[in-house]
């Protein structure tokens, strides 16, 4: 029910997607510019060592020799790690700031926008109150920053596991059979881990908006609600993750990336709505889908004239 209601809410609030797109374009361009500046020594070294040429060969293989794509990518990743480890003494400052802006700051900015959408939709779903995107962004900036920092820290163990899985895959695959089996296992593991991640964080924003407390406390208190309906939320989260993967992947490929300008911001809006729907469902609280439809946690819809 939370998945179906989330789709309805996304459709009726699709204008948020365009505002989220603007936010993502502005912040992404700023991050790209800063990262390019601080990573310039790394880029120069990688070009001199032939690593960039390796990755260029990888993209060529996609069209010229698809069967060699993963072996080429594996070799490129291994070469990249070797060059960086051998030059870490000269590049550690550049690496540090690249990770700081490209990973940490970028993740925090994304989570701020996610909390902002959550605030807008929380107001809409609880009292059918309309709040402007940028007005909400300013008014919730401090709370959103605390939410983003806490979420980044809490996700470090899960993100580390994902990185280890990907590194293990690229390091171990060598034959076509190992590529096929490895890819299947990696996709399965990453899907399950991401689903678990979405599940346990699904009540954090709603709890913080409802209780106005500390961000870390909101996560743990939110988990107490989530675990009461864990398997139901987990099942809906699998559907959500698979939907987002398929939509972004296939539309991105068939439109040469153009559709991502819509599907990526729409994914953020959908996730925020989906998390709130799960939160209200776990707490057995009613919420609005429209000005005439209120959803109960039992899955029955009461139409109000």
């Amino acid at each position: 029910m939370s998945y179906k209601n989330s789709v309805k809410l996304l459709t009726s609030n699709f204008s948020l997607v365009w505002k989220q797109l603007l936010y993502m374009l502005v912040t992404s361009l700023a991050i790209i510019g800063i990262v390019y500046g601080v990573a310039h020594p790394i880029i120069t070294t990688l070009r001199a060592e032939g690593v960039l040429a390796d990755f260029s060969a990888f993209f060529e293989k996609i069209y010229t020799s698809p069967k060699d794509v993963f072996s080429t990518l594996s070799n490129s990743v291994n070469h990249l790690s070797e060059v960086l480890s051998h030059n870490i003494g000269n590049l550690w400052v550049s690496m540090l700031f690249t990770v700081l802006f490209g990973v940490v700051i970028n993740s925090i900015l994304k989570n701020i926008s996610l909390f902002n959408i959550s605030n807008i939709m929380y107001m809409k779903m609880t009292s059918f109150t309309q709040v402007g995107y940028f007005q909400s962004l300013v008014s919730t900036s401090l709370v959103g920053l605390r939410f983003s920092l806490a979420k980044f820290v809490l996700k470090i163990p899960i993100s580390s596991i994902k990185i280890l899985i990907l590194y293990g895959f690229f390091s171990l695959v060598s034959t076509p059979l190992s590529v096929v089996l490895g890819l299947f296992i990696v996709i399965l593991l990453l899907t399950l881990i991401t689903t678990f991640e979405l599940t346990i964080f699904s009540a954090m924003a709603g709890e913080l908006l409802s209780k106005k407390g500390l961000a870390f406390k909101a996560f743990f208190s939110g988990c107490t609600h989530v675990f009461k309906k864990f398997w139901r939320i987990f099942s809906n989260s699998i559907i959500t993750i698979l939907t987002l993967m398929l939509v972004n992947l296939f539309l991105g490929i068939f439109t040469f990336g153009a559709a991502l300008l819509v599907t990526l911001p729409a994914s953020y809006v959908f996730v925020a709505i989906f998390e709130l729907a799960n939160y209200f469902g776990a707490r057995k609280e009613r919420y609005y889908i429209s000005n005439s439809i209120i959803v109960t946690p039992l899955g029955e819809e009461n139409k109000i004239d």
Side-chain angles (χ1 to χ4, degrees), residues 65-78:
S65 183
K67 64 184 179 64
D68 298 323
V69 164
F70 287 101
S71 60
T72 304
L73 180 59
S74 178
N75 293 333
S76 300
V77 171
N78 289 333

Side-chain angles (χ1 to χ4, degrees), residues 179-203:
V179 169
V180 174
L181 292 176
L183 189 61
F184 172 78
I185 294 172
V186 166
I187 292 175
L188 177 62
L189 289 175
L190 291 181
T191 301
L192 290 175
I193 293 170
T194 305
T195 300
F196 177 76
E197 180 182 7
L198 178 60
T199 301
I200 63 173
F201 281 99
S202 60

Side-chain angles (χ1 to χ4, degrees), residues 90-111:
N90 299 323
L91 299 175
W92 72 270
V93 174
S94 182
M95 290 180 186
L96 176 63
F97 281 99
T98 299
V99 172
L100 176 63
F101 286 99
V103 178
V104 180
I105 302 299
N106 187 42
S107 178
I108 288 173
L109 289 174
K110 289 179 178 178
N111 284 329

Side-chain angles (χ1 to χ4, degrees), residues 252-303:
I253 291 174
F254 289 127
T255 62
F256 300 99
L260 295 178
L261 290 173
V262 177
T263 59
L264 286 180
S267 297
Y268 277 85
V269 177
F270 185 78
V271 167
I273 293 171
F274 177 75
E275 289 181 345
L276 287 174
N278 283 320
Y279 173 71
F280 291 130
R283 286 175 56 87
K284 299 182 179 180
E285 294 182 0
R286 292 183 171 188
Y287 59 91
Y288 285 92
I289 283 186
S290 70
N291 61 352
S292 60
I293 301 177
I294 299 178
V295 175
T296 70
L298 298 177
E300 298 176 356
E301 295 180 359
N302 298 327
K303 294 187 178 182

Side-chain angles (χ1 to χ4, degrees), residues 8-260:
K8 293 178 181 178
L9 284 163
L10 173 64
T11 303
S12 60
N13 294 276
F14 204 80
S15 61
L16 276 176
V17 173
W18 309 120
K19 297 166 185 177
Q20 177 65 13
L21 172 61
L22 178 60
Y23 175 91
M24 292 176 68
L25 287 175
V26 172
T27 55
S28 296
L29 288 174
I31 290 293
I32 290 171
I34 294 172
V35 169
Y36 180 79
V38 298
H40 186 70
I42 300 175
I43 296 170
T44 302
T45 302
L46 296 180
R47 182 181 293 113
E49 295 287 344
V51 175
L52 297 185
D54 289 345
F55 281 96
S56 296
F58 158 70
F59 287 109
E60 291 177 3
K61 292 287 185 181
I62 296 176
Y63 301 100
T64 60
S65 183
K67 64 184 179 64
D68 298 323
V69 164
F70 287 101
S71 60
T72 304
L73 180 59
S74 178
N75 293 333
S76 300
V77 171
N78 289 333
H79 190 194
L80 171 65
S81 62
E82 289 174 3
V83 171
L84 291 179
S85 62
H86 290 158
N87 293 275
I88 192 169
N90 299 323
L91 299 175
W92 72 270
V93 174
S94 182
M95 290 180 186
L96 176 63
F97 281 99
T98 299
V99 172
L100 176 63
F101 286 99
V103 178
V104 180
I105 302 299
N106 187 42
S107 178
I108 288 173
L109 289 174
K110 289 179 178 178
N111 284 329
I112 286 174
S113 71
L114 185 65
F115 183 79
N116 181 44
I117 298 168
S118 298
N119 179 61
I120 294 169
M121 292 308 303
Y122 182 88
M123 298 296 292
K124 194 76 173 283
M125 294 167 71
T126 56
S127 60
F128 209 72
T129 302
Q130 188 75 34
V131 182
Y133 184 94
F134 296 102
Q135 174 190 351
S136 172
L137 184 64
V138 173
S139 63
T140 63
S141 58
L142 292 178
V143 181
L145 179 60
R146 293 200 299 269
F147 169 86
S148 301
L149 290 170
K151 192 169 186 180
F152 179 82
V153 172
L154 291 165
K155 288 176 67 174
I156 287 176
I158 297 176
S159 299
S160 300
I161 293 172
K162 291 180 181 179
I163 292 171
L164 288 174
I165 290 172
L166 290 173
Y167 182 78
F169 171 73
F170 291 124
S171 299
L172 298 175
V173 296
S174 56
T175 65
L177 180 60
S178 66
V179 169
V180 174
L181 292 176
L183 189 61
F184 172 78
I185 294 172
V186 166
I187 292 175
L188 177 62
L189 289 175
L190 291 181
T191 301
L192 290 175
I193 293 170
T194 305
T195 300
F196 177 76
E197 180 182 7
L198 178 60
T199 301
I200 63 173
F201 281 99
S202 60
M204 183 178 177
E207 190 75 356
L208 185 56
L209 288 165
S210 175
K211 302 294 179 60
K212 311 293 184 183
L214 299 174
F216 283 99
K217 183 179 179 180
F219 169 73
F220 291 108
S221 60
C223 284
T224 62
H225 301 300
V226 168
F227 286 127
K228 293 176 183 177
K229 303 281 186 179
F230 180 82
W231 292 113
R232 178 178 295 180
I233 297 174
F234 187 82
S235 299
N236 282 298
S237 295
I238 289 180
I239 299 172
T240 297
I241 294 299
L242 291 176
T243 299
L244 296 180
M245 287 173 58
L246 292 173
V247 169
N248 285 290
L249 179 63
F250 285 106
L251 290 182
I253 291 174
F254 289 127
T255 62
F256 300 99
L260 295 178

